Amino acid sequence: ALEREVKGAKVNAGGNGMIADNVMKAVSDHANLVRQACESGADAVVMGAGLPVDLPDITANYPGTALIPILSEARGVGVILKKWMKKGRLPDAIVIEHPKYAAGHLGSPKIEEIADPKYDFSSVLPKIWDLFKELGLKEKEIPIIVAGGITSHEHVKTALNDLGASAVQLGTAFAVTQEGDAHPNFKDVLLKANPKEDLATFISTSGFPARGV
């Protein structure tokens, strides 16, 4: 099924952009899923729900596949960079996801900590720049992509111009578009959801906090 989806997406893309596969580290079969994505021709593997310290090892036979970890604070970035650098590999980009605003699995280990100011982009990104200097990396050597709560042009401008992010990640906003291939009923639920009444934050079967409608 994964091979079908990756190859189908690449056909639909017609050579434009990149096709990435998002694999949860917390899934016991994550290594096989990553290898299958690479074998199927995915341009990138994105991994969150845990620290993907083994991702360079899993993809060693696929040096052309971009590796993009999802993290939420500078401490996790430091762990990944130091371990990956010993393997001779750097992330091709890093997604910094704010657990207070993101959907799906969240970067905080505890629900009660998801709103902690330590996860604010204005706090995390300067610490990442300091970490880069400490490790001898240039400030923009690894693109930083911020995710979670990006819902307006102003949010995008702040992330790129004021905080120094290289890009932003949006999910929900595109999920409800006509171009999106989600079922109409799914889109309808998202569009009609009341942020104050219909969102639930819970511990998923993976053991990590998660958020959904």
Side-chain angles (χ1 to χ4, degrees):
L2 181 55
E3 181 177 20
R4 180 194 67 225
E5 293 299 323
V6 171
K7 291 186 174 179
K10 291 183 76 70
V11 170
N12 291 339
N16 298 308
M18 297 176 67
I19 300 302
D21 186 47
N22 191 324
V23 179
M24 291 172 51
K25 168 68 174 177
V27 174
S28 60
D29 201 31
H30 71 274
N32 287 329
L33 291 172
V34 168
R35 293 189 190 98
Q36 181 61 65
C38 294
E39 291 173 6
S40 301
D43 300 299
V45 172
V46 183
M47 182 172 283
L51 288 174
V53 294
D54 56 349
L55 196 52
D57 301 317
I58 298 171
T59 58
N61 293 330
Y62 305 93
T65 304
L67 305 182
I68 306 174
I70 304 175
L71 304 159
S72 290
E73 55 179 324
R75 182 177 62 176
V77 174
V79 171
I80 290 298
L81 288 180
K82 292 171 183 176
K83 289 187 176 295
W84 283 27
M85 290 172 77
K86 291 180 180 178
K87 305 173 188 288
R89 183 70 193 253
L90 286 174
D92 293 277
I94 298 173
V95 175
I96 297 298
E97 182 182 84
H98 198 311
K100 181 179 179 180
Y101 304 110
H105 286 87
L106 310 175
S108 172
K110 299 178 181 179
I111 289 180
E112 56 269 25
E113 294 181 359
I114 61 175
D116 194 308
K118 71 180 180 181
Y119 295 119
D120 290 348
F121 299 142
S122 58
S123 173
V124 176
L125 268 62
K127 292 178 181 177
I128 290 177
W129 310 143
D130 289 342
L131 178 63
F132 281 9
K133 291 179 182 178
E134 176 188 330
L135 297 176
L137 301 172
K138 297 177 181 178
E139 184 170 303
K140 296 298 181 70
E141 187 166 345
I142 302 172
I144 299 298
I145 305 168
V146 296
I150 308 295
T151 61
S152 69
H153 183 231
E154 288 302 316
H155 289 161
V156 175
K157 286 201 303 181
T158 297
L160 302 184
N161 298 338
D162 299 340
L163 300 179
S166 297
V168 298
Q169 175 180 294
L170 286 78
T172 306
F174 288 118
V176 297
T177 61
Q178 291 183 355
E179 295 83 358
D181 63 359
H183 192 282
N185 291 349
F186 176 83
K187 296 180 182 181
D188 190 55
V189 168
L190 288 184
L191 285 169
K192 293 180 179 179
N194 184 315
K196 294 183 179 180
E197 298 177 3
D198 299 327
L199 295 185
T201 302
F202 54 94
I203 298 296
S204 78
T205 54
S206 70
F208 286 85
R211 181 178 293 113
V213 176

